[in-house]
Amino acid sequence: MVRHELSQWPLVISVSAGLQTLESMQVFTEDWNRWLDRGEPFISLRVFADADALVHPEGSAQRAKQWLQARGADIRRHMMGMASVVPADQFEKISKMNVEKLFGIPASTFARTDEALTWLRERVMAPRGLVLDAAAVRAAIDTARAGAMAGSRA
């Protein structure tokens, strides 16, 4: 289950928990399409609450590739940066993927939320004159995490 928190826009906070389905992945890309279609720059903070949230359902790779090809220019045009937080025991494996090269924007993976927030503040937001309210972001993550966790158990 994925829950988004937009209260910190232009920072979009997405928390994933549990195994995803092709349908939930489709909803996720539809959400991204809406944000990209706004034509406004935004930043993505993705938090993976557990190792299951990192598992891609069978058949999703081809869909993701098609979506990236279709929306790649919009991503590069409208995304200011992306930080992903993964469980510490998954960090070594996940951090080997070059997300920055894949999306063509500043992007990095972290094992701790505080590290991701520091990176976002210093690398993405401050150079654009944006302020990151870390306490508000942590509260938004907690809200999204509660929803994602409840949804993954449903």
Side-chain angles (χ1 to χ4, degrees):
M1 176 63 63
V2 179
R3 290 285 193 248
H4 304 295
E5 174 59 53
L6 303 178
S7 65
Q8 301 302 304
W9 184 270
L11 178 63
V12 174
I13 300 164
S14 303
V15 179
S16 302
L19 293 171
Q20 306 303 309
T21 65
L22 284 176
E23 292 77 23
S24 66
M25 301 276 299
Q26 179 66 35
V27 169
F28 184 79
T29 57
E30 289 168 4
D31 291 336
W32 270 76
N33 287 337
R34 275 192 296 283
W35 305 326
L36 291 167
D37 289 344
R38 285 183 175 194
E40 301 172 10
F42 68 99
I43 304 155
S44 173
L45 172 59
R46 298 189 63 195
V47 178
F48 297 88
D50 52 40
D52 283 347
L54 293 163
V55 176
H56 298 282
E58 190 171 326
S60 66
Q62 184 63 27
R63 287 184 184 189
K65 182 178 178 183
Q66 290 171 343
W67 181 79
L68 281 171
Q69 287 174 339
R71 298 305 307 245
D74 293 327
I75 291 169
R76 287 184 292 282
R77 186 177 314 113
H78 300 303
M79 289 285 305
M80 291 183 266
M82 176 187 292
S84 299
V85 180
V86 300
D89 64 343
Q90 300 295 308
F91 177 76
E92 191 68 35
K93 179 175 96 174
I94 300 300
S95 66
K96 292 178 183 172
M97 291 189 286
N98 189 339
V99 178
E100 192 159 336
K101 182 177 179 183
L102 175 67
F103 286 100
I105 59 168
S108 196
T109 302
F110 304 89
R112 295 183 52 234
T113 302
D114 288 342
E115 294 169 349
L117 296 181
T118 298
W119 181 85
L120 284 171
R121 180 185 302 113
E122 293 174 359
R123 175 94 192 271
V124 179
M125 298 181 87
R128 291 168 176 81
L130 299 171
V131 176
L132 185 138
D133 181 342
V137 170
R138 283 189 200 90
I141 290 169
D142 290 344
T143 298
R145 183 186 311 266
M149 298 297 280
S152 73
R153 289 188 294 266

